[in-house]
Amino acid sequence: MNEAIMLQKVDVEAAGRQAVTWSARIWFSVAAVGHWLFVAYILTVFYPPVAAKGLSGLEGMHLPSGYVQGDWLGNLAVVSHVLLAALVIGGGPLQLIPAIRQRFPRFHRYLGRSYVAAAVVSASGGLYLTWTRSPIGDVWSKLGITGDGVLILLFSFIAVRHAMARRIVDHRRWAMRLFMVVSAVWFFRVGLMAWATLTGGIGIDWESFTGPFLYFLGFAQYLLPLAMLEWYFRCQREASSGERFTFAGTMAGLTVVTAIGIFAATMGMWLPRM
């Protein structure tokens, strides 16, 4: 009898671990597709005008902090922030796919260095634009963006330090944290469109682009993914079977919301401008 109970407990524990793994994999697969759709939008809409006209190619573009005649520093920050987004948003999922990391280690290393450099430059440009140009939102909106930019710079430093010291396990964990905060610009758009689709935009003043939900989303765009990632780490280490199944169920719900947000953002924001 005791042996049967022990075997049953082992089976439940194994099922819980599998539920955690597969729920995370499914969410990541959906999110990766959403990232690459956003990259297609960036490459299609922003790259051709800049290639043809330089900095002035962004004049008249759909940007909260676009081209300003005579402000070369601000324009350079805009261009770097926008154009590097393709590398940052597109390269992040590739860095986290184990098969790519294992089969193409050199590609993984070079992409990783480029990814971190682009994240640092893009975040620095974004911080500069937030406090010198952006007409979107109010001080709470700017504080939310600033928090994300600071975490990008901090996590980049920590991830690189662990990589240089060959602490690979620690490096991967911080690289995953970096992915979450770097992807905040994507999480914001997907979360916004999911909320608008599911609730009609409760808590949003679209004219001033302020409101309770936007204040929440300004911080949740990176704090919620980070919290889920830390929960994922815990479920890998020491969580009970019940907690693992709870995590898997939560991830399943977030996957559905993510898919809704990706579809709404693609059809309502990205595809019409491509």
Side-chain angles (χ1 to χ4, degrees):
M1 179 66 70
N2 289 337
E3 184 178 353
I5 294 175
M6 288 293 294
L7 289 174
Q8 186 176 15
K9 290 179 63 176
V10 170
D11 289 342
V12 171
E13 183 175 353
R17 290 183 179 277
Q18 287 185 346
V20 168
T21 298
W22 280 104
S23 64
R25 286 180 179 176
I26 293 171
W27 174 84
F28 177 76
S29 298
V30 171
V33 171
H35 276 65
W36 293 327
L37 287 170
F38 189 32
V39 170
Y41 162 71
I42 294 170
L43 293 177
T44 302
V45 173
F46 297 108
Y47 270 63
V50 172
K53 301 179 182 179
L55 296 179
S56 63
L58 293 178
E59 188 171 7
M61 299 296 291
H62 188 81
L63 290 169
S65 302
Y67 178 81
V68 176
Q69 184 71 36
D71 182 10
W72 68 269
L73 181 59
N75 293 334
L76 187 61
V78 172
V79 169
S80 64
H81 184 70
V82 172
L83 300 190
L84 289 176
L87 174 59
V88 171
I89 300 299
L94 294 176
Q95 283 297 96
L96 300 184
I97 297 175
I100 294 178
R101 184 174 65 243
Q102 294 164 6
R103 297 179 185 179
F104 308 101
R106 180 174 296 181
F107 171 78
H108 174 77
R109 287 194 298 270
Y110 283 120
L111 177 59
R113 293 165 186 167
S114 301
Y115 177 80
V116 170
V120 169
V121 173
S122 182
S124 301
L127 288 171
Y128 174 79
L129 294 170
T130 296
W131 291 102
T132 61
R133 276 203 192 179
S134 180
I136 299 297
D138 54 17
V139 66
W140 288 107
S141 305
K142 297 179 189 299
L143 287 174
I145 296 172
T146 299
D148 182 53
V150 171
L151 289 181
I152 290 173
L153 298 177
L154 177 62
F155 291 0
S156 295
F157 171 77
I158 297 174
V160 170
R161 186 186 65 177
H162 284 306
M164 293 178 66
R166 298 293 187 269
R167 294 188 289 267
I168 302 304
V169 173
D170 292 329
H171 165 69
R172 288 176 181 168
R173 287 182 179 273
W174 282 102
M176 292 172 74
R177 293 181 178 111
L178 178 61
F179 169 77
M180 293 300 181
V181 295
V182 165
S183 297
V185 63
W186 179 85
F187 282 119
F188 184 90
R189 285 158 174 77
V190 170
L192 175 64
M193 296 305 291
W195 181 259
T197 300
L198 294 172
T199 72
I202 295 174
I204 301 175
D205 182 343
W206 293 101
E207 185 174 347
S208 64
F209 209 63
T210 59
F213 178 73
L214 289 177
Y215 298 146
F216 164 78
L217 187 60
F219 293 92
Q221 61 179 321
Y222 53 94
L223 294 181
L224 179 58
L226 281 176
M228 291 303 299
L229 180 62
E230 295 304 320
W231 193 8
Y232 171 72
F233 289 154
R234 172 180 167 81
C235 287
Q236 286 186 316
R237 295 192 308 266
E238 57 189 2
S240 65
S241 297
E243 184 176 352
R244 289 188 173 111
F245 284 118
T246 301
F247 171 86
T250 303
M251 284 301 300
L254 289 175
T255 300
V256 172
V257 174
T258 300
I260 292 172
I262 291 170
F263 179 79
T266 301
M267 301 304 295
M269 297 173 61
W270 303 333
L271 194 59
R273 297 173 187 151
M274 292 172 65

